[in-house]
């Protein structure tokens, strides 16, 4: 019985050591109110206004300012922006898209198919590449499909971004 207890304690200690061997993620960078968006140009032409309306509401402070500032990046900029606080990727996952290979390296094919299919409208991950980050990936069959998904799920997505924003603010205050 003593050997069993010693073995159990040893297993718990070893498990605890292995569990803490992964290095902690770096803190997310960028401004809390900035959303970095990666999207094909032709797709953004169709959905950009809706996205900017959803996240760019004007706050009445002494000087009016947008709730979130939207900054677009190109596929070549993604690696330098992977650890930004608010990262959004829209794509149709077409073979001609330069975003497709990057998404395929980020998520398993089964997840990408689920997002692009009807079973899941979008993929939302917190702390995916950095602590304090929120990552949104929305895929569609076409630009109009992406627009419909954004219009249908926009309020839900906005609430998630707001919750993460306030979580970061409260962590900083306390």
């Amino acid at each position: 019985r003593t050997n069993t207890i010693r073995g159990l304690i040893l297993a718990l200690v070893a498990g605890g050591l292995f569990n803490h061997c992964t290095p902690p993620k770096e803190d997310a960078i960028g401004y809390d109110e900035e959303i970095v968006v990666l999207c094909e140009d032709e797709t953004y032409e169709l959905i950009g206004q809706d996205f900017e309306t959803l996240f760019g509401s004007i706050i009445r402070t002494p000087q009016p300012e947008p709730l979130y500032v939207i900054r677009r990046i190109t596929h070549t900029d993604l690696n330098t922006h992977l650890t930004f606080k608010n990262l959004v990727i829209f794509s149709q996952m077409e073979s001609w898209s330069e975003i497709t290979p990057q998404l395929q390296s980020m998520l398993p094919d089964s997840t990408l198919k689920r997002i692009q299919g009807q079973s899941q409208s979008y993929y939302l991950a917190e702390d995916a590449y950095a602590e304090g980050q929120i990552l949104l990936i929305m895929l569609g069959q076409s630009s109009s499909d992406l627009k419909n998904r954004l219009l249908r799920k926009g309020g839900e997505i906005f609430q998630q971004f707001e919750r993460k924003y306030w979580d970061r603010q409260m962590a900083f205050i306390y």
Side-chain angles (χ1 to χ4, degrees), residues 25-26 82-83 87 105-107 127-131 133 135:
K25 293 180 181 174
E26 296 177 19
L82 267 179
T83 58
L87 180 59
S105 71
M106 293 169 73
L107 295 172
D127 306 328
Y129 294 97
E131 195 71 34
Q133 178 188 52
L135 167 67

Side-chain angles (χ1 to χ4, degrees), residues 89-150:
I89 302 173
F90 293 109
S91 182
Q92 297 174 49
M93 290 293 292
E94 296 289 344
S95 58
W96 53 261
S97 173
E98 294 168 323
I99 298 173
T100 299
Q102 291 173 310
L103 286 170
Q104 290 171 329
S105 71
M106 293 169 73
L107 295 172
D109 286 341
S110 59
T111 302
L112 293 171
K113 285 181 177 139
R114 211 171 38 248
I115 300 167
Q116 193 173 21
Q118 297 303 319
S119 62
Q120 185 176 346
S121 292
Y122 60 89
Y123 174 84
L124 190 84
E126 294 188 23
D127 306 328
Y129 294 97
E131 195 71 34
Q133 178 188 52
I134 187 163
L135 167 67
L136 168 71
I137 298 175
M138 184 176 279
L139 306 175
Q141 307 292 331
S142 64
S143 293
S144 60
D145 182 38
L146 274 168
K147 181 179 177 86
N148 290 334
R149 289 171 189 243
L150 181 60

Side-chain angles (χ1 to χ4, degrees), residues 14-172:
L17 289 175
F18 286 120
N19 190 25
H20 295 291
C21 287
T22 58
K25 293 180 181 174
E26 296 177 19
D27 288 338
I29 58 175
Y31 297 106
D32 288 324
E33 62 280 341
E34 178 184 53
I35 299 178
V36 175
V37 178
L38 173 62
C39 183
E40 292 100 355
D41 289 336
E42 48 281 340
T43 300
Y44 200 79
E45 286 176 20
L46 185 63
I47 68 169
Q49 186 63 47
D50 295 315
F51 187 75
E52 290 170 13
T53 300
L54 180 65
F55 283 95
S57 303
I58 301 297
I59 303 172
R60 302 287 178 212
T61 59
Q63 179 176 344
E65 56 185 72
L67 187 59
Y68 289 96
V69 175
I70 312 301
R71 183 164 60 95
R72 290 199 52 214
I73 60 170
T74 65
H75 72 282
T76 57
D77 298 325
L78 180 60
N79 286 340
T80 59
H81 289 82
L82 267 179
T83 58
F84 270 59
K85 291 181 180 178
N86 304 306
L87 180 59
V88 175
I89 302 173
F90 293 109
S91 182
Q92 297 174 49
M93 290 293 292
E94 296 289 344
S95 58
W96 53 261
S97 173
E98 294 168 323
I99 298 173
T100 299
Q102 291 173 310
L103 286 170
Q104 290 171 329
S105 71
M106 293 169 73
L107 295 172
D109 286 341
S110 59
T111 302
L112 293 171
K113 285 181 177 139
R114 211 171 38 248
I115 300 167
Q116 193 173 21
Q118 297 303 319
S119 62
Q120 185 176 346
S121 292
Y122 60 89
Y123 174 84
L124 190 84
E126 294 188 23
D127 306 328
Y129 294 97
E131 195 71 34
Q133 178 188 52
I134 187 163
L135 167 67
L136 168 71
I137 298 175
M138 184 176 279
L139 306 175
Q141 307 292 331
S142 64
S143 293
S144 60
D145 182 38
L146 274 168
K147 181 179 177 86
N148 290 334
R149 289 171 189 243
L150 181 60
L151 293 174
R152 193 173 62 247
K153 295 293 187 174
E156 184 179 309
I157 293 167
F158 179 79
Q159 298 239 334
Q160 294 291 330
F161 273 76
E162 279 289 280
R163 185 187 53 72
K164 189 64 174 181
Y165 173 86
W166 286 109
D167 285 351
R168 288 190 296 247
Q169 296 304 309
M170 292 299 119
F172 179 73

